[in-house]
Amino acid sequence: MNKLHIALVVAVLAVVLYLSTLSTAAMQSLQAGFMSIFSPFLRTSSAVQENIGSVGQRLKTLDELEVENRQLLTENNQLRAANSLLRELQAENSRLRLALDFRERASFKLLPAQVISRDASTWWNTIRINRGFEDGVEADQPVLTDAGLVGKITTVSKNEAIVVLITDETCRIGAKIEGTREQGIVSGFRVQEDDAMGLLQMNFLSKNAEITPGQEVMTVGVAHGSFPPGVVIGKVKEFIRRPLDGQAIVEPAVHLASTEDVFVLVGKK
Amino acid sequence: MKTLIDLAALFIGVVLAFIIQHAMPPMDGMHGAHILLVPLVFFYSAMVLPFPAMLVAAVYTGFLSDLMYLHVVGGKVEIPIGFSILYFMSTGCVANGFKPAMREGNVLPFVLTSALGTSLYLFIQFAVITWQRGDFIWENAIAWRILAPGVMAALIAPLFYWTLSHMDRLLPDGSRKARTIKR
């Protein structure tokens, strides 16, 4: 290694030192700029990911149809295909109706958004949505659906935002259990054996609490917190009594692995 | 001239790798492990580029990786920008030492560096997260998520090498000729 190489390494180390001491806001601005540039490419790749993911499901449907339609005529096949298409449209219609109804009923100002990508990293549970600061989205705003809480906004770019899901360990939510006086902190697990399950943990509960599976868990809405009170998080799946406290394993109300339409809570009506 | 073309190819290659790895869903059969292509692209470039160009590659790849996976919650950054630059620079220095082997067409160091480099990157990320959050947790899923991407990188590396070395021969500066004489 000659002197020039050593000088270059020192220069890179100086750059690293400078970048690592940037403020959180500056790092987020850099990330927002990066997101704005890469967003079109990543959206395309997310669409591809969605298609890859649904291949298995499609093959299964095809297999089922093949077995089912062996004894049917070609006309019947065409009718079935048309029917299936209509059913899909009907399901979409119902889903959107429910979402619209939820938006009308809510006492908060809800901004509809679509999930454009998910699960891009190994250690963090995040999704990206197609709304950014141009739409009024800001950091720490809650994201939810008609079924319950999804997560909160972290980084916002012009037309896109990153949402940290409630299944991430760093997303901590003050919560209470319906029908009890028990309050605790809900968060995700660092890593789960099966991510599709996406379970949550609720800690700091009394070990003598009478908590049974099926009880609803909802946000408590602490002062200056990100989440308003009364938003459903999920249902208790299991209650574990530990030497010092109790822990509830909570199943999220929203199926986070497949949710496509969400709302960002941008303020009160 | 060749170095500049290689660097330009790296810049495009890293972006393409990000797009492709983003498009690939996590492997459910491997506890949600992801296929990582960016370290693979970097280690290839680190083993063919001269040292100063390797440093440029490390800064570029590391900077984009950090921006891609920056995780901020409650005003706190888990892994600051600069971490990946430091990682790619350190491992790039080691990988750069295998340049002669690469020139002779020996693909083994590239396969090993890609596999170890990918898994080590994830392991260090996990270690930093553990240090930041506290509570050491170790489960099978963590081992899978660290090791499986390394194994996948080892499987992809020979194909990647073969494709790029064939493309390299199309370059106008006679690199094919030079390589043939060395042999």
Side-chain angles (χ1 to χ4, degrees):
Chain A
M1 201 182 250
N2 61 33
K3 280 180 185 170
L4 174 72
H5 291 175
I6 293 168
L8 286 171
V9 169
V10 172
V12 173
L13 286 175
V15 170
V16 168
L17 192 68
Y18 170 73
L19 287 171
S20 62
T21 52
L22 286 176
S23 67
T24 306
M27 286 190 194
Q28 279 184 302
S29 304
L30 280 172
Q31 192 184 29
F34 172 77
M35 277 164 64
S36 301
I37 297 167
F38 274 76
S39 160
F41 304 111
L42 296 180
R43 282 184 195 204
T44 311
S45 69
S46 298
V48 174
Q49 184 189 30
E50 214 166 88
N51 284 332
I52 294 170
S54 62
V55 162
Q57 205 181 336
R58 281 183 203 167
L59 286 174
K60 192 183 163 193
T61 315
L62 281 174
D63 281 346
E64 282 171 2
L65 281 174
E66 202 178 54
V67 173
E68 202 174 318
N69 292 344
R70 248 174 219 161
Q71 294 164 353
L72 295 175
L73 299 169
T74 320
E75 288 167 44
N76 255 346
N77 281 339
Q78 284 172 343
L79 281 171
R80 275 175 189 277
N83 241 347
S84 124
L85 188 69
L86 284 171
R87 266 200 302 273
E88 205 172 298
L89 284 171
Q90 193 185 13
E92 192 185 354
N93 192 301
S94 314
R95 186 167 52 83
L96 291 173
R97 260 174 202 280
L98 269 172
L100 189 68
D101 182 42
F102 172 64
R103 195 183 162 190
E104 298 296 321
R105 274 188 285 121
S107 56
F108 297 101
K109 207 173 158 191
L110 298 173
L111 178 75
Q114 277 193 319
V115 176
I116 52 174
S117 77
R118 63 181 84 237
D119 274 340
S121 70
T122 304
W123 307 119
W124 301 283
N125 294 323
T126 55
I127 54 171
R128 287 174 196 234
I129 57 168
N130 66 342
R131 299 288 189 177
F133 60 73
E134 266 199 346
D135 306 291
V137 175
E138 289 171 18
D140 287 334
Q141 284 173 339
V143 178
L144 54 155
T145 70
D146 55 331
L149 195 63
V150 171
K152 68 174 176 180
I153 303 284
T154 58
T155 303
V156 190
S157 73
K158 196 177 165 193
N159 296 310
E160 209 175 284
I162 297 177
V163 180
V164 60
L165 298 177
I166 53 173
T167 48
D168 193 277
E169 195 188 17
T170 56
C171 186
R172 290 162 193 270
I173 311 152
K176 60 184 177 186
I177 295 178
E178 181 201 26
T180 69
R181 287 185 167 189
E182 288 300 318
Q183 293 194 355
I185 304 286
V186 170
S187 68
F189 289 94
R190 194 163 300 173
V191 173
Q192 294 196 36
E193 289 289 335
D194 183 5
D195 253 359
M197 296 272 289
L199 296 175
L200 311 168
Q201 53 182 330
M202 185 171 183
N203 291 309
F204 309 114
L205 297 168
S206 160
K207 66 173 179 177
N208 300 319
E210 291 299 321
I211 296 168
T212 51
Q215 279 182 295
E216 214 157 58
V217 178
M218 51 187 68
T219 56
V220 77
V222 291
H224 309 297
S226 304
F227 305 101
V231 180
V232 176
I233 298 171
K235 279 183 177 172
V236 174
K237 195 181 180 213
E238 191 188 349
F239 181 62
I240 304 160
R241 289 178 209 279
R242 299 190 294 198
L244 293 174
D245 65 349
Q247 183 193 46
I249 304 298
V250 180
E251 202 169 355
V254 181
H255 193 257
L256 298 164
S258 60
T259 305
E260 290 171 21
D261 302 298
V262 296
F263 294 98
V264 184
L265 201 156
V266 288
K268 286 198 170 183
K269 267 183 182 169
Chain B
M1 180 65 184
K2 167 110 177 33
T3 304
L4 285 177
I5 295 172
D6 283 347
L7 261 181
L10 167 90
F11 289 169
I12 298 165
V14 167
V15 172
L16 280 176
F18 269 125
I19 293 167
I20 295 168
Q21 80 182 30
H22 196 85
M24 286 188 288
M27 298 175 282
D28 289 334
M30 294 186 181
H31 298 264
H34 287 251
I35 294 176
L36 297 188
L37 298 174
V38 173
L40 188 86
V41 175
F42 169 74
F43 287 119
Y44 181 84
S45 66
M47 292 169 97
V48 295
L49 290 173
F51 190 82
M54 182 281 290
L55 287 180
V56 174
V59 172
Y60 175 78
T61 313
F63 187 61
L64 291 194
S65 298
D66 283 337
L67 289 181
M68 190 79 181
Y69 301 120
L70 187 74
H71 186 71
V72 185
V73 173
K76 195 181 165 194
V77 179
E78 284 222 301
I79 300 179
I81 296 178
F83 157 80
S84 299
I85 300 176
L86 198 62
Y87 175 78
F88 284 122
M89 188 186 73
S90 321
T91 48
C93 286
V94 178
N96 200 249
F98 290 111
K99 241 172 82 176
M102 200 70 163
R103 216 178 285 135
E104 285 166 16
N106 187 354
V107 73
L108 193 65
F110 171 55
V111 173
L112 289 176
T113 314
S114 300
L116 292 174
T118 304
S119 289
L120 185 65
Y121 182 63
L122 289 166
F123 176 75
I124 296 176
Q125 265 189 348
F126 179 74
V128 174
I129 290 169
T130 301
W131 181 65
Q132 292 268 6
R133 298 184 194 173
D135 294 337
F136 180 77
I137 297 166
W138 188 263
E139 288 170 21
N140 279 345
I142 296 169
W144 273 98
R145 287 190 188 189
I146 290 170
L147 297 174
V151 173
M152 293 307 291
L155 293 174
I156 299 167
L159 184 70
F160 185 78
Y161 173 83
W162 184 83
T163 311
L164 283 198
S165 55
H166 275 75
M167 281 168 69
D168 189 45
R169 291 175 189 198
L170 301 174
L171 288 178
D173 71 335
S175 58
R176 181 183 181 185
K177 203 174 169 186
R179 199 171 284 181
T180 316
I181 291 165
K182 289 240 177 213
R183 278 177 186 170

